[in-house]
Amino acid sequence: MISVQEQDFNQQEEYDRLKCKTSVGAIVTFTGLVRDINNGQSVSDLSLEHYPGMTEKCLIDIVEQAKQRWNIIESTVIHRVGHLAISDQIVFVGIASQHRGDAFAACEFIMDYLKTQAPFWKKETMSNGETQWVDAREVDQDALSKWAVK
Amino acid sequence: MISVQEQDFNQQEEYDRLKCKTSVGAIVTFTGLVRDINNGQSVSDLSLEHYPGMTEKCLIDIVEQAKQRWNIIESTVIHRVGHLAISDQIVFVGIASQHRGDAFAACEFIMDYLKTQAPFWKKETMSNGETQWVDAREVDQDALSKWAVK
Amino acid sequence: MIKVLFFAKLSEQLGCRELQVDATAVENTDQLFQYLIEHKAEWSTILTSQLCLKAVNQAMVNDNVLLKDGDEVAYFPPVTGG
Amino acid sequence: MIKVLFFAKLSEQLGCRELQVDATAVENTDQLFQYLIEHKAEWSTILTSQLCLKAVNQAMVNDNVLLKDGDEVAYFPPVTGG
């Protein structure tokens, strides 16, 4: 399941959906939240812009790549857009597999690719009222190297 | 939070506990479930024996090691013991961090060490009524190598 | 026509979210970029002073790509979702 | 006394979960293991035919370890939790 949406999502519902088959032995979930501090500056809220159409295509493609590399029984990617406050949920990636190795790797792979490939952009409002577009982090680009085919 | 317990646990409750601070930007959870098939054989249920006292000590030690290697804001490890049925939850590891890299690594590290160090033993009842102790898997021992200090 | 889209900081700086470009005026993305640089006085500086990623028909591309009538080309800063 | 515990498959095979051994009879874990092997006829085969892990005072150890009165020593198969 892939969804780009304004509304919030529910951890238990998403977990239960992943847990639906008796062959599932391992579920890994990742949730990204709006932090109160980014690069040392105090954040008061966030808005998320995206490229409708391309975001969905891009997420489908990333999940497809993960399915080719690891055994995945169920997968979920949810990314929110629009206005978000501190501690709000931004993104959810959940993977159900037979074994934990596949679930961990696929979940982290999807997040690493999403971070550098999926057309979302964050704009922060700081606690002093100023707004600024978040800069891409080099560390996110570097994170991709661990998925290079050896 | 570390707990060895007979009773079930709740995904949402554990997630909410991890999410309690506004500095948290990433939550990774792992849940292990009773699979219907193990090593090609049909399983009907499972009982989990442990070494009371040592299990808790061992889990505390593993979490402590993780905290020395990664930035962890909150952590939870729950392991059930006693009688379990298919699809029942066995183990939960949840990590809350500022950034996803720490949360993924610490969560997988704790699971890999738990799998090879913590004194729990599974006994399966097969669908034909026979019982057998689960054999340790070499792949679990191998999984430790990725955490060797480079 | 070729549909050109701008997103995030880039769209704010250019003061433009969407533009239609005559497909007969540009053969490929290199020519389209040149067209955009010359489109308004300040666009040259904005488009060349920072890293702009591009997508053709909603797939990211690095190289020069042939364009045809009906194509959609988007320009945007490095992504920051997740 | 030294408290000796067996777990899981090993405890089933030996038909024993717990045993008290006189601390004056064994100085270290090697001697304790020798004592257990000789404790009952069938224990030798059971204890030497498979991988037995050991913990002294609830911490896993590989090597020979000195024992004193009040110590707790456990033997068990490779763990299979999680």
Side-chain angles (χ1 to χ4, degrees), chain B residues 2-3 10 15 19 56 91-92 96-97 131 137 143 146-147:
Chain B
I2 283 168
S3 174
N10 178 273
Y15 174 76
K19 193 175 172 288
E56 291 83 353
V91 58
F92 176 91
S97 295
T131 61
R137 300 189 318 154
K146 65 173 166 296
W147 306 113

Side-chain angles (χ1 to χ4, degrees), chain B residues 16-123:
Chain B
D16 290 343
R17 197 200 313 273
L18 293 164
K19 193 175 172 288
C20 61
K21 288 192 185 141
T22 55
S23 55
V24 172
I27 296 177
V28 172
T29 75
F30 172 85
T31 315
L33 307 166
V34 181
R35 266 180 298 129
D36 57 357
I37 304 277
N38 195 20
N39 291 322
Q41 290 194 277
S42 180
V43 176
S44 73
D45 59 53
L46 199 69
S47 80
L48 257 151
E49 182 177 336
H50 74 127
Y51 181 174
M54 181 172 162
T55 43
E56 291 83 353
K57 275 191 195 178
C58 185
L59 296 177
I60 288 168
D61 179 61
I62 294 169
V63 170
E64 204 44 56
Q65 285 181 56
K67 283 181 177 169
Q68 280 168 22
R69 293 182 67 155
W70 296 284
N71 284 314
I72 296 177
I73 297 171
E74 290 287 342
S75 69
T76 301
V77 178
I78 303 173
H79 203 298
R80 292 178 69 193
V81 292
H83 188 84
L84 298 173
I86 299 295
S87 287
D88 274 1
Q89 303 185 122
I90 304 170
V91 58
F92 176 91
V93 178
I95 304 290
S97 295
Q98 282 188 280
H99 299 290
R100 73 185 185 288
D102 289 310
F104 273 116
C107 190
E108 191 168 10
F109 172 90
I110 290 171
M111 273 310 301
D112 284 351
Y113 273 78
L114 184 157
K115 275 271 181 185
T116 53
Q117 315 273 305
F120 295 99
W121 300 274
K122 289 194 186 109
K123 190 179 192 176

